Amino acid sequence: MAFNLHPNRHRAAERSSTPPYHERVQLPPHIRRAIEERAGAIGFPALKRAAAALSDAYRDGKPARLTNDEAIAAYLVTRMPATYAAAHAVLGELRDLPIRTVLDIGAGTGAASLAARAFFPTADPVTLVERDPSLASTALSFLPGATAVHTDLNCAPAFPPHDLVIAAWSVGELSAPIAARLWEAARVALVVIEPGTPRGFALIRRLRDELLAGGAHMAAPCPAAIPCPMVEPDWCHFAARVERSSLHRRIKDGALGYEDEKYSYVALVRDPAALGHARVLRRPQHHPGWIELRLCTPTGIADRRVTRRDRAAFREARSADWGSRLAQPKDGAGV
Ligand SMILES: C[S@@+](CC[C@H](N)C(=O)[O-])C[C@H]1O[C@@H](n2cnc3c(N)ncnc32)[C@H](O)[C@@H]1O
């Protein structure tokens, strides 16, 4: 069995649009410095209390209202690096698209727009839709040239068209349906990211099914626009490895220098996109002499065991990671 994910490792690295899961992604240095300054002005005890309140709210599945400077600073230190890393991993999948304008729905402190700027640095306008003026002004301080629209997403009848519409960790906080309004505004692509929980995935799956039925094309993570083959109690999610700042470690009383942010997502496009052959659905299991991969393929979910004897396949399996999109195999010689 030739696995044939990519012709060789070097080209695989060039062509892979998903950063390896173990690669730690960080906010740009000037944003990290700005966050440290804001956190310094709050003082450690108040920051730690606010971070604990935030984390309790998220653990209980409640949307957290960031109503004061302490809560915003706690979000900046403990949550924004993670939402940025996940948005960065997802938007990397779309890096080749002609994105010139960005609409960030439920922008918060601007993590998704910052990630969009990493791939589409000249995008203009970058428009932030956010109900909370203090969050929007924080985001604008990180995103020179961007503009903010203060509105309640539940009530807005329509959004201004932009090439890329991204809604990161916001759709799950809404009480009104929003999928059709998001899609109508997306001239090139729509990306929705939610927590990598059964609830977050269920929301993504509903939105995916609704918009595919309405004519959207799949871009990622699915290798085909078939009915989602995932069966409960499993759920489709991925992870971004996030570098923790020393302040973040102190707040969390955590010894680890990183954490894994779990997320579920869908990226849909107006024009049909070349899809990979398969998506790696969980961390590959490495055993002596063989590697086990769980894949989503155009015919459903498949567990693949690749042995060292199959040299080319084994080499390729070694470079695969959780969330990797595997390239189309040559002449039916793939998984
Ligand atoms: C969890 S935060 C995510 C922020 C940001 N997208 C990120 O990835 O870090 C959710 C954001 O959605 C905003 N939001 C929630 N409900 C909203 C509504 N009805 N109208 C406008 N914004 C809303 C919140 O104010 C908050 O900034």
Side-chain angles (χ1 to χ4, degrees):
M1 176 184 69
F3 201 64
N4 203 8
L5 309 184
H6 301 283
N8 60 49
R9 257 171 176 268
H10 180 65
R11 283 190 56 206
E14 269 176 10
R15 288 170 41 179
S16 168
S17 51
T18 318
Y21 150 60
H22 290 105
E23 198 175 273
R24 299 182 198 180
V25 175
Q26 283 188 284
L27 283 159
H30 67 287
I31 304 292
R32 299 205 303 270
R33 278 195 299 276
I35 291 175
E36 295 273 328
E37 274 166 28
R38 279 187 74 141
I42 299 294
F44 187 74
L47 195 63
K48 193 168 161 91
R49 275 195 302 278
L54 196 60
S55 132
D56 288 348
Y58 285 133
R59 196 172 312 111
D60 295 345
K62 292 187 201 131
R65 287 302 290 259
L66 308 178
T67 47
N68 54 39
D69 287 351
E70 288 80 3
I72 295 177
Y75 188 88
L76 294 175
V77 175
T78 64
R79 288 299 303 146
M80 189 178 175
T83 60
Y84 174 82
H88 192 278
V90 171
L91 291 174
E93 302 264 344
L94 305 184
R95 66 173 73 202
D96 294 332
L97 291 181
I99 305 287
R100 293 184 197 88
T101 61
V102 176
L103 182 67
D104 187 348
I105 296 286
T109 55
S113 290
L114 280 167
R117 279 224 167 135
F119 295 104
F120 313 110
T122 57
D124 183 29
V126 172
T127 310
L128 316 173
V129 184
E130 172 54 55
R131 77 178 157 200
D132 187 324
S134 46
L135 292 181
S137 75
T138 302
L140 290 175
S141 74
F142 297 150
L143 289 154
T147 51
V149 178
H150 302 291
T151 190
D152 185 336
L153 296 168
N154 289 316
C155 310
F159 302 114
H162 285 65
D163 293 342
L164 170 67
V165 175
I166 177 159
W169 284 266
S170 55
V171 173
E173 296 197 358
L174 304 180
S175 54
I178 195 171
R181 288 179 289 148
L182 294 178
W183 181 241
E184 273 159 27
R187 282 196 291 238
V188 176
L190 166 65
V191 169
V192 180
I193 311 176
E194 283 293 310
T197 58
R199 180 178 180 271
F201 169 61
L203 184 156
I204 292 289
R205 171 144 60 180
R206 274 198 305 279
L207 185 140
R208 169 199 190 271
D209 292 349
E210 176 185 338
L211 295 182
L212 285 178
H217 294 281
M218 176 55 61
C222 318
I226 56 169
C228 175
M230 187 60 70
V231 177
E232 280 179 28
D234 205 356
W235 70 100
C236 180
H237 65 293
F238 304 97
R241 187 148 284 187
V242 184
E243 183 89 23
R244 280 177 171 161
S245 65
S246 59
L247 179 59
H248 190 173
R249 281 205 296 274
R250 278 173 63 213
I251 286 178
K252 292 267 179 81
D253 297 321
L256 277 180
Y258 68 89
E259 65 188 22
D260 287 342
E261 175 68 13
K262 309 271 173 56
Y263 60 96
S264 294
Y265 77 100
V266 67
L268 299 165
V269 283
R270 291 269 164 205
D271 294 331
L275 299 174
H277 172 60
R279 179 75 59 175
V280 180
L281 285 183
R282 59 173 62 149
R283 199 172 286 126
Q285 301 296 305
H286 290 248
H287 307 276
W290 58 285
I291 299 171
E292 209 178 344
L293 296 176
R294 169 156 283 200
L295 302 175
C296 190
T297 78
T299 53
I301 294 174
D303 289 314
R304 295 284 186 253
R305 183 181 279 216
V306 186
T307 64
R308 195 184 288 283
R309 259 182 303 163
D310 195 343
R311 284 197 186 181
F314 193 71
R315 225 182 7 254
E316 302 301 345
R318 263 200 324 223
S319 68
D321 207 342
W322 185 8
S324 296
R325 182 177 61 177
L326 307 187
Q328 206 66 34
K330 277 186 201 155
D331 308 327
V335 233

